Amino acid sequence: MSTTDRASGPPSAAPAGPRRGPWPRGRHRPGRTRVVGVDAARGLAVLGMIVAHVAVAADPSWAVQAVNGRAAVLFAVLGGVSLALMTAPVLAAPTARNRARLRRRIAVRAVLLVVLGLLLAVISTGPMVILVVYGVLFWLLLPVLFAPARALAVAAAVWAVAGPLLSWVLRARFGSTTDAAGRTVLGATVHPADLTSPAGLLHALDTVLLSGAYPVLTWMPFLLLGMALGRLDLRSAGVRLLTGGALGALAGYGGSWLALDVLGGRDALLASVAPVADRLGVPAELALQLLGGSALGTVATTTPAWLLAATPHSGSPFDVVGAAGGAVAVLGLCLLAARRAGPLLAPLTATGSLALTLYAGHIALLAALGEWPQESPWAATALVAGLAVAVAPVWRGLVGRGPLEAFVHVVSVRAAGAPTTVGAAGSAPAPMPGGPAAGQAGDMQNGTTGRAPDTIGYRGSSDPAREEAR
C-alpha cells in the first residue's frame, strides 16, 4: 500500500478560526483540494443511475446495458473509499475517544440515510432506492472501520464468492420474498409500511439481507473493496487501479463466458428454462435470453448454473467480481483524467460532490413528472441528467454543500460530540497532534503540505458525510 508525501514541518501560518453560522457552505480554502478523480467517478455513478432509472423504459440499448447495476456498484465502491479516507486522520491519532467519535458519526449518518431511503421509497415511481441498504452496510462495517487494508481486500475477495453462494443456498432452502398472493417479488426494497408489523419487519429483514434489490450478502464486497482502495495514495494510483480493475472485469465476465460457453454451463440453463419455453411457445434460447438478460438483485434458484452467469445486477459471483472490477477501472480512469485535465471535469466533479441531493432530487423529479418519463424515456433522461450537470456547478460555487449534505453533516457531527465547524468545509483544519503520521494523514485527505486535519470532523478529499451523504 502506497502513501502520500509526508508533511515536512509545521504550518507556515496559524490556521484561521472556524467560520460560524447555521449553514456550512462547503467551499474550500486554497490548498485544501479534493481528490477530483473520486468526485468525477461519483458524478459518473450519479448520471449512470439516472440513465438506469429513466431510460429503462426505452428499448434495450448499449447505454442502458452499460450502466444497469454497474452504476450502483460504482457508487458502493466509492462509499467504501470515502469511509477509508474518513478514517485516515483517526488512524494517525488512534485514541479510543477519536475512534468512538468517528464510529458515532458514521452510525448517525447511516440512520439518516435509512430514514431518507424510506421516505424516497414512498414517492418513488420505479427506481429501486439503495439508501436503506447503504445505511445498513455502514452500520455493519463499523467493527472493521480501522482494519488493515490487506485484511479488507482479502475479506472483499472471499465475500465476493462466498456471499452469492450462501445467498443461493438460503433462498433455495427457504424461498425468496413473496407478495400476498404468494408470487415471488423481484427487486424488492424496504417500505415504511414494512415497519408496522412483525411480519413486515421480517419481510424487511429478508429484503435487506437476502432477497431484495441490493441484498447485503452480495453488496458487502463492494464497500470492503472500496475501503481497501481508500488506503492507497489515490492521486498516484490511477494506472494501478485501471489495470487491476480491467483484470478484475476480465476475470468476472470472461470467467462467466468460459463457464457457460466452454465448460457447458449454458446447457444446464437451457434445460432449466425449457418448461417456460414450452409454455410460451418459443425456443429455449429465446426464453433464456428473456429470463437471463437482466436481474433485479438475485439469481434464480431453479439451478445452480445461474451462479455461472454474469447477468448485470444479479449478484452471482461472476457479476460481483466483474462489476467490482469495472468500478475500480472507472475510478482509475477518472483519477488519470483528473491529473491531466482536471478543470475540464468540473461539471462532473460538482455533480459527484452533490451526490445525495441529486440522487434524492431525481427520484422526486421523476415522481413529479408522472407518466411522461415512460412515454419519452430518452427525452426525460436528457432533462434529468442535464439539470443535474447544470445545477451542481452553480450550487457548488454559490452555496457549497448541497442541502442534504449540509443537514447530514451537521446532525452527524453534533451527535458524535465534535464541533460542526472544526475542519468543516469553508474553515481551516485544526492541527492534529502527532508528528509525521499526522502530516501524512493530512496529505491523504487534502493533498496540502504542512497542514494536518483535525482528528474529528475534517472534510477531506472525499468522505461519506460529504460524498455518500450528498
Side-chain angles (χ1 to χ4, degrees):
M1 179 177 69
S2 62
T3 59
T4 55
D5 296 335
R6 297 184 180 186
S8 57
S12 57
R19 173 175 21 207
R20 304 287 178 180
W23 188 267
R25 292 177 62 81
R27 291 198 184 94
H28 295 271
R29 298 168 63 90
R32 288 188 63 196
T33 57
R34 296 166 62 90
V35 180
V36 176
V38 174
D39 280 336
R42 185 168 284 106
L44 287 177
V46 171
L47 295 178
M49 284 189 282
I50 290 175
V51 173
H53 292 161
V54 187
V56 67
D59 293 333
S61 67
W62 66 269
V64 176
Q65 293 300 319
V67 301
N68 182 27
R70 300 183 181 97
V73 169
L74 175 59
F75 194 66
V77 170
L78 293 172
V81 171
S82 296
L83 284 176
L85 291 173
M86 198 174 183
T87 63
V90 180
L91 288 174
T95 66
R97 184 182 182 187
N98 288 342
R99 289 177 183 242
R101 278 182 171 176
L102 183 58
R103 285 195 173 104
R104 285 198 301 270
R105 182 178 171 190
I106 293 174
V108 172
R109 293 181 185 281
V111 172
L112 296 175
L113 290 176
V114 169
V115 172
L116 179 59
L118 291 173
L119 294 176
L120 291 176
V122 174
I123 66 172
S124 176
T125 55
M128 300 177 294
V129 180
I130 193 176
L131 294 183
V132 171
V133 173
Y134 211 56
V136 172
L137 286 168
F138 276 25
W139 284 330
L140 295 177
L141 286 168
L142 290 177
V144 298
L145 195 60
F146 304 102
R150 182 170 298 178
L152 293 169
V154 171
V158 172
W159 204 311
V161 177
L165 295 180
L166 180 59
S167 170
W168 190 92
V169 170
L170 291 176
R171 288 183 296 107
R173 173 65 178 83
F174 299 106
S176 298
T177 301
T178 58
D179 60 15
R183 296 170 297 188
T184 299
V185 176
L186 300 177
T189 55
V190 180
H191 194 276
D194 295 329
L195 310 181
T196 60
S197 67
L201 289 171
L202 186 61
H203 173 269
L205 183 65
D206 174 69
T207 297
V208 169
L209 298 181
L210 187 62
S211 302
Y214 309 101
V216 165
L217 267 182
T218 52
W219 280 77
M220 181 65 81
F222 303 132
L223 277 88
L224 288 170
L225 174 62
M227 289 177 66
L229 297 177
R231 302 290 173 83
L232 301 174
D233 173 11
L234 292 174
R235 299 178 192 279
S236 62
V239 173
R240 284 177 293 162
L241 294 184
L242 178 58
T243 303
L247 291 175
L250 179 63
Y253 299 124
S256 175
W257 169 81
L258 182 66
L260 291 177
D261 296 319
V262 177
L263 301 181
R266 188 173 297 277
D267 293 336
L269 291 179
L270 290 173
S272 72
V273 302
V276 178
D278 292 340
R279 288 197 300 270
L280 296 177
V282 299
E285 284 283 359
L286 179 57
L288 179 60
Q289 182 179 350
L290 294 173
L291 296 174
S294 62
L296 295 174
T298 56
V299 298
T301 56
T302 53
T303 172
W306 284 111
L307 291 167
L308 304 177
T311 304
H313 203 172
S314 67
S316 74
F318 291 106
D319 172 48
V320 171
V321 173
V328 174
V330 169
L331 174 58
L333 185 62
C334 288
L335 291 168
L336 290 175
R339 292 178 61 184
R340 290 163 174 77
L344 297 179
L345 300 178
L348 192 60
T349 58
T351 301
S353 68
L354 272 71
L356 182 62
T357 292
L358 294 177
Y359 179 82
H362 97 275
I363 292 176
L365 179 58
L366 288 177
L369 292 174
E371 298 296 325
W372 181 63
Q374 285 73 40
E375 298 168 355
S376 304
W378 284 113
T381 300
L383 172 65
V384 177
L387 283 175
V389 175
V391 169
V394 176
W395 184 282
R396 187 71 179 163
L398 295 178
V399 179
R401 289 193 183 100
L404 290 179
E405 285 76 13
F407 173 76
V408 170
H409 167 66
V410 170
V411 173
S412 62
V413 174
R414 286 180 178 170
T420 58
T421 52
V422 174
S427 63
M432 176 190 289
Q440 177 178 326
D443 285 347
M444 281 185 77
Q445 289 269 22
N446 64 9
T448 305
T449 303
R451 285 180 181 262
D454 181 44
T455 54
I456 296 295
Y458 178 67
R459 288 290 194 181
S461 54
S462 177
D463 81 76
R466 178 178 224 141
E467 317 305 338
E468 303 341 310
R470 278 182 194 277

